[in-house]
Amino acid sequence: MKLGLGTVQFGMDYGISNPAGKTDPDEVRKILAVAQRAGIHYLDTAALYGNSEEVLGDAMPEDYNFSIVTKTPVFSGSEVTQDSALLLEQTLYRSLKNMKVSSVYGLLAHNAGDILSPGGMILIKKMQELKRQGYVQKIGVSAYRSEEIDSILDIFHIDIIQVPLNVLDQRLLLSGHLARLKKAGIEIHARSVFLQGLLLMEPERLPSYFNSIKTHLSQYHAHLKQQGLTAVQGALGFAAGLDEVDVVLCGVNTHRQLEEICSQWKPSSPALFSGFAINDESIVNPSKWRTT
């Protein structure tokens, strides 16, 4: 199973369809136990996800075999310096300590723009050094747009890339970037497959911000019903059915939700969903949402 578990909810409030807020640590233990039984191999976290890494460190079951992917800080300055590289290194060491591990599977630049900034090569060299030293097995980036990917591939030999991908946001599929990444031997981790829960909500329950796509989403849900698919099966099935994708990341707030996701894991033909792609940044990029 190429299902991976996102952990942002373990450390902070996250998701438009999540009224419960941050997941209770006892529930995190139950979630991880379900994940281990289900054969889920990948955990995705970050130093910026509140205290999610500390929660993970305290909640890990014995004899777990998860591969953990974490991320660098986000550097807000206009130019990357040696101090930035030092902060990256110190943050990774702190992440390892918080999670009670000696190394992680992956380290991603949290903001691709950082390594594309003046001096960004300093960060790349530091990540490469940490890989040589055995603190991380694979390095890469979390990217959003095709332009970022093109620029990154020109300067950085990455092992992993994490990208947004869902029924509405098919831009990297349609542009051919997923195929290009796969041809280059880069491991592709798809995030935002539920679009922060938007694809699981009934259209009439959505905030008014999404009025422009309520009809579109109503048609999507009608299509799912016609195909005999639930909203979870539709969102998961689209990403799982893409040969280019190695890991499909999903976040949950309860172990029951994870059990439901595992039970409904059913790859579908991506062609079933080709008519629902949109190219509206204000919708497919949650950082643009204005719902309050």
Side-chain angles (χ1 to χ4, degrees):
M1 180 186 290
K2 59 182 180 181
L3 180 63
L5 183 63
T7 68
V8 61
Q9 292 97 328
F10 298 174
M12 58 195 297
D13 296 347
Y14 181 82
I16 191 173
S17 64
N18 170 28
K22 189 165 70 170
T23 305
D24 182 82
D26 287 336
E27 188 63 27
V28 172
R29 292 185 180 89
K30 295 177 182 178
I31 290 170
L32 294 177
V34 170
Q36 188 169 32
R37 290 196 301 270
I40 291 173
H41 194 54
Y42 295 93
L43 300 181
D44 178 76
T45 190
L48 293 179
Y49 292 170
N51 67 333
S52 68
E53 293 183 332
E54 294 175 74
V55 171
L56 278 175
D58 291 337
M60 284 291 191
E62 292 184 11
D63 302 322
Y64 68 86
N65 62 348
F66 296 122
S67 292
I68 301 172
V69 176
T70 189
K71 304 179 188 74
T72 69
V74 171
F75 301 94
S76 56
S78 58
E79 183 175 353
V80 174
T81 66
Q82 290 295 340
D83 286 342
S84 306
L86 179 60
L87 177 59
L88 184 157
E89 183 175 32
Q90 291 173 337
T91 300
L92 176 63
Y93 294 157
R94 185 166 61 250
S95 293
L96 297 177
K97 181 179 178 181
N98 287 338
M99 292 187 286
K100 301 175 183 177
V101 296
S102 59
S103 65
V104 288
Y105 177 74
L107 175 65
L108 308 182
H110 204 140
N111 177 17
D114 288 333
I115 62 174
L116 297 174
S117 299
M121 188 57 67
I122 296 172
L123 298 180
I124 294 173
K125 289 180 178 179
K126 177 55 68 174
M127 294 174 72
Q128 291 170 334
E129 177 186 331
L130 292 166
K131 178 181 175 180
R132 286 194 301 270
Q133 292 172 340
Y135 291 109
V136 300
Q137 184 176 339
K138 297 189 176 185
I139 55 177
V141 298
S142 176
Y144 288 85
R145 296 180 298 278
S146 58
E147 298 84 2
E148 283 182 331
I149 294 172
D150 291 335
S151 298
I152 289 161
L153 294 181
D154 285 341
I155 63 169
F156 188 11
H157 179 72
I158 58 176
D159 304 310
I160 305 177
I161 191 166
Q162 191 183 109
V163 294
L165 183 68
N166 55 69
V167 169
L168 297 185
D169 187 0
Q170 302 185 33
R171 292 173 295 175
L172 296 178
L173 171 64
L174 298 175
S175 67
H177 280 80
L178 293 187
R180 180 186 176 192
L181 290 164
K182 180 53 58 179
K183 186 177 180 180
I186 296 167
E187 194 173 302
I188 301 173
H189 293 203
R191 67 170 183 272
S192 201
V193 296
F194 295 142
L195 197 50
Q196 288 199 14
L198 180 72
L199 290 169
L200 306 183
M201 297 175 68
E202 293 296 331
E204 58 270 17
R205 291 182 52 223
L206 292 172
S208 58
Y209 177 83
F210 299 101
N211 282 347
S212 64
I213 61 163
K214 283 186 178 180
T215 298
H216 186 77
L217 287 174
S218 294
Q219 293 170 344
Y220 168 65
H221 284 278
H223 177 72
L224 291 177
K225 187 174 182 181
Q226 186 180 38
Q227 297 295 324
L229 299 172
T230 67
V232 170
Q233 285 175 326
L236 279 180
F238 166 73
L242 289 166
D243 292 336
E244 297 91 339
V245 172
D246 296 287
V247 180
V248 178
L249 295 169
C250 298
V252 299
N253 292 99
T254 70
H255 72 286
R256 297 296 185 194
Q257 289 174 349
L258 184 56
E259 288 174 339
E260 178 187 3
I261 285 173
C262 292
S263 69
Q264 297 196 54
W265 179 264
K266 182 183 178 182
S268 302
S269 169
L272 283 175
F273 307 99
S274 60
F276 297 101
I278 62 175
N279 194 26
D280 184 345
E281 183 82 4
S282 69
I283 298 296
V284 298
N285 185 349
S287 70
K288 306 288 187 181
W289 293 355
R290 300 292 180 265
T291 58
T292 56

